[in-house]
Structures are given as structure tokens and as C-alpha cells.
Amino acid sequence: MKNKRAREEQSMKDLMDIFKQKHKLNPGLDKVDVEKAWMNELGPAIKNYTDTIRFKNNILTVHLSSSTLREELSYGKAKIIKRLNESLGRELIQKLILR
């Protein structure tokens, strides 16, 4: 009788995906990835005015301390969503709410 490991060869990526699904880690990891993408893609100036970032049900909610910046960013929501999704490598964010 052969060992199960010897019969089935899987890549490390496949094993990590199975582990994340089994332990329901994807939502938490997605949240971390989205927060990191926001900070990296929009730069240090916007990072300084960002109070909190929440990501749930494909909706990104960002609380900003500057109403002027919030108004400026609201004009380019679609472009921001596209840029963040490109950075993430998948269509994760569907809606952006700026508060």
C-alpha cells in the first residue's frame, strides 16, 4: 500500500489554497491585502489622511480625516477601484465608500 503523499503531488500554492478554504481564512487575508493595496497604490499623502479601512462583502469603506480629499477622491472612484483590483490581481473590490 502506497503512501497517499507519494501518489498525489500538489504544488505549494494548491496546498495553501486548500488550507485557506478549509480554515476559512480567505476573508481575513483579503482584508489585509486590500488595506495594503490602498496604502501602496494611493501613496503616503493619502495614507496620512486615512483613519480607518474596512472591507466586507466586496465593499471597501474608507474613513478620511479630510473632507476636501474625500470630495476629490469621490470623482475618481471607478478609477481607484480599477487600480486597486489590478494591484490585487483579481476583481475583489466592487464598491468604494468614502466617509
Side-chain angles (χ1 to χ4, degrees), residues 38 46 49 62-78 80 96-99:
W38 175 267
I46 293 175
Y49 292 104
V62 180
H63 291 263
L64 299 167
S65 60
S66 169
S67 59
T68 307
L69 178 62
R70 181 173 42 249
E71 188 67 27
E72 257 329 283
L73 292 178
S74 69
Y75 293 120
K77 281 185 182 180
I80 293 170
L96 173 62
I97 299 173
L98 300 171
R99 295 193 173 170

Side-chain angles (χ1 to χ4, degrees), residues 2-97:
K2 280 190 169 182
N3 186 348
K4 184 177 180 180
R5 289 183 183 177
R7 285 186 284 143
E8 295 180 22
E9 291 184 23
Q10 294 179 328
S11 71
M12 184 59 92
K13 182 184 182 317
D14 292 339
L15 293 173
M16 288 300 295
D17 289 340
I18 292 168
F19 180 80
K20 288 189 292 187
Q21 286 177 342
K22 183 178 179 182
H23 295 286
K24 298 180 176 120
L25 298 175
N26 284 331
L29 293 172
D30 288 344
K31 181 180 183 223
V32 171
D33 291 342
V34 168
E35 288 177 8
K36 203 182 301 183
W38 175 267
M39 296 301 182
N40 291 337
E41 290 298 314
L42 294 167
I46 293 175
K47 180 181 178 180
N48 291 335
Y49 292 104
T50 302
D51 290 334
T52 58
I53 300 172
R54 290 189 328 194
F55 181 70
K56 189 174 182 180
N57 299 329
N58 297 341
I59 300 172
L60 175 60
T61 306
V62 180
H63 291 263
L64 299 167
S65 60
S66 169
S67 59
T68 307
L69 178 62
R70 181 173 42 249
E71 188 67 27
E72 257 329 283
L73 292 178
S74 69
Y75 293 120
K77 281 185 182 180
K79 187 176 179 181
I80 293 170
I81 292 171
K82 182 179 178 187
R83 188 171 166 185
L84 292 173
N85 282 333
E86 285 174 359
S87 172
L88 294 166
R90 58 192 186 277
E91 296 293 320
L92 197 55
I93 302 167
Q94 294 178 353
K95 185 176 180 181
L96 173 62
I97 299 173

